Amino acid sequence: MLEIEKLNAGYGRVQVLWDVDLAVEAKQIVALVGANGAGKTTLLRAISGMIAVRSGGVKFRDRDIAGASIESIVDLGIAHVPEGRRLFSGLTVRENLVLGGWRRNNRDLSRVVALFPVLGQRLNQVASTLSGGEQQMCAIARGLMSEPSLLLIDELSLGLAPIMVDEIVGRLPEIAASGTAVLLVEQDIDTALTVSETAYVLETGRITRSGSSRELLADATIQAAYLGLESQ
Amino acid sequence: MSQLLQAAAYGVVQGGLLGLVAVGFSLVWGVMNVINLSHGALAVTGAYLAWLLNLHFGLDPFLALPVVAIALFLFGYALQRGLINLVINAPIFLTLLLTFGLGLVILNSLQLLFNADDRTIETSYASQSLALGTVNVPYGRLAACGLALAITVGLAAVMTRTRLGHSISATGMDRGAARLMGIRARHVYAITFGISAALAGVAGTMIATVGSFNPTTTPGQLTLDAFVISVLGGLGNMYGALVGGLVLGIAESVGGLVLTGTWVNAIAMAVLILTLIVRPSGLIGKAQYSGRVEV
């Protein structure tokens, strides 16, 4: 569904991504892992049109979206839950969710409230007064309100308690099964490789490893580099 | 005493009108972080348009309002899309410079077309007043003030209740996040500027109906008033603009009893400074969307 080929992108004169290849199939959960500064956020931004693509192809449902505007990419069915969540902090949860469905004029909150029942109890609460985990739920729910077929989630676990991370990550298979594939960017590699089927490892702007998440999780070099485990 | 009451009543109706001048200015500042120094020039453009319609077709200024509003909306939309959008991400100094220059171009064009004479739109009801005891309030001013009130309430409702209003506030709060919701920020900015220009045109028409205007001194005075009122009431806040306008109108009118001529401007500034010392975010407080986050 999403096919990225030899993507080069960056900020101004600084190139961050070098010849990146990546693919996401429909209803799949794909993890993009790597150290801080590897270019994970940049890759999501290049997909959703927040930064310009220098060269290479980004195809979504067989349409070339490299260089398309953020808004038209949303129209095609990609929702981006940005780093830091970027909720409209002075507005209520309900207003945030309705803004998420703005483009399609979708005001039906039932799907996202079923997914995150706690949001249902917080609908009239101002978003900035939610706990970190609830804010992340709200941000993901807001992304889902545009009824995307691909959801990009940047640093889901950032600043959250482990129990909250498990709670939210536990919802991803349900999201994928309902027709929204997920591309998850995570520094918490253990979590990311456990929930995903396929994974890509990004190091200083290049994809260095990719394949089945289960195999990568069992791989000794991955364990040593990212999980701090000594190889046996 | 009756002199004071008369001054206060005049201050209220004048203040409503000033609020109408400021509400669009405040909207653009709050949403786009652009201090539009051509706002007064846009208001006077509206005034000339209504004046022409009255002169050539005998159209009552209140009936000319829709025409003026639509014309100024389109002009404002095009200005934002074609010109101001170029500097929207630039430091504020550049937007000040651009809008100041734009104001000069507009007012010099108007002067070239219509010369620098003071103009007013003559109406049959201009000299008639509503007598409340010893206080007289001209009907024209009363209607203008009522219109300002209605427009402010209407605009606040649009901002909080409608899809368009939500897209404007969201873009003002966090343009990057708004774009990720599929909101076309450039279009929203242009619509916001168009609304602001339309409101300026309406305010200009009302000023031309209840008083007089010219292309040389009126634009600068209106821009200054709009600036003071926006900061006074609370940036980007619709009701703030109205309350700020009323406070300024009453202060200038009552202060005018004691002080003369251009000292009235000093009163406006004194009121502003005192308010900012006591309430730095303005009388009503800043609008939610005026604390912007960049992409």
Side-chain angles (χ1 to χ4, degrees), chain B residues 134-154:
Chain B
T134 56
V135 176
N136 287 309
V137 186
Y139 283 120
R141 284 194 177 273
L142 200 60
C145 180
L147 188 71
L149 191 72
I151 286 179
T152 308
V153 173

Side-chain angles (χ1 to χ4, degrees), chain B residues 230-249:
Chain B
S230 298
V231 179
L232 191 64
L235 200 52
N237 191 317
M238 309 297 122
Y239 292 113
L242 192 64
V243 171
L246 290 173
V247 168
L248 191 68

Side-chain angles (χ1 to χ4, degrees), chain B residues 67-248:
Chain B
V67 182
V68 172
I70 291 168
L72 265 289
F73 175 85
L74 295 175
F75 185 49
Y77 187 98
L79 270 182
Q80 166 62 30
R81 206 65 200 251
L83 194 63
I84 296 167
N85 204 35
L86 298 173
V87 296
I88 199 80
N89 290 327
I92 195 151
F93 182 69
L94 273 182
T95 63
L96 284 175
L97 211 60
L98 180 70
T99 57
F100 181 72
L102 182 64
L104 283 183
V105 170
I106 294 173
L107 65 89
N108 279 300
S109 308
L110 291 173
Q111 196 173 336
L112 210 61
L113 284 169
F114 304 110
N115 74 47
D117 288 353
D118 269 320
R119 309 282 182 183
T120 182
I121 301 176
E122 309 279 354
T123 56
S124 56
Y125 44 82
S127 55
Q128 294 173 10
S129 308
L130 177 70
L132 297 163
T134 56
V135 176
N136 287 309
V137 186
Y139 283 120
R141 284 194 177 273
L142 200 60
C145 180
L147 188 71
L149 191 72
I151 286 179
T152 308
V153 173
L155 189 62
V158 166
M159 290 299 285
T160 52
R161 304 252 169 98
T162 68
R163 204 170 129 72
L164 173 70
H166 291 159
S167 70
I168 293 176
S169 331
T171 309
M173 276 183 261
D174 184 337
R175 186 178 58 194
R179 295 188 68 193
L180 288 177
M181 309 296 112
I183 295 169
R184 285 169 165 69
R186 281 204 293 178
H187 177 63
V188 167
Y189 278 169
I191 286 193
T192 308
F193 203 86
I195 291 174
S196 171
L199 293 175
V202 169
T205 305
M206 290 296 97
I207 286 164
T209 311
V210 301
S212 65
F213 65 98
N214 65 62
T216 53
T217 58
T218 316
Q221 183 62 48
L222 292 182
T223 304
L224 182 66
D225 285 340
F227 182 88
V228 171
I229 291 165
S230 298
V231 179
L232 191 64
L235 200 52
N237 191 317
M238 309 297 122
Y239 292 113
L242 192 64
V243 171
L246 290 173
V247 168
L248 191 68

Side-chain angles (χ1 to χ4, degrees), chain A residues 85-97 99 122-130 135 138 142, chain B residues 160 166 169-170 172-174 177 286-293:
Chain A
R85 307 185 268 268
R86 303 270 288 264
L87 292 176
F88 299 107
S89 56
L91 300 183
T92 63
V93 171
R94 185 194 304 277
E95 288 166 330
N96 268 282
L97 295 178
L99 275 170
R122 302 266 189 271
L123 285 178
N124 297 317
Q125 198 169 322
V126 173
S128 58
T129 65
L130 297 177
Q135 287 191 20
C138 186
R142 186 180 65 173
Chain B
T160 52
H166 291 159
S169 331
M173 276 183 261
D174 184 337
K286 287 179 186 168
Q288 281 170 341
Y289 52 79
S290 59
R292 307 182 345 121
V293 183

Side-chain angles (χ1 to χ4, degrees), chain B residues 4 7-16 18 243-257 267 271:
Chain B
L4 188 68
Y10 176 81
V12 169
V13 285
Q14 174 70 7
L18 288 176
V243 171
L246 290 173
V247 168
L248 191 68
I250 294 169
E252 286 190 349
S253 169
V254 173
L257 290 177
I267 296 173
V271 168

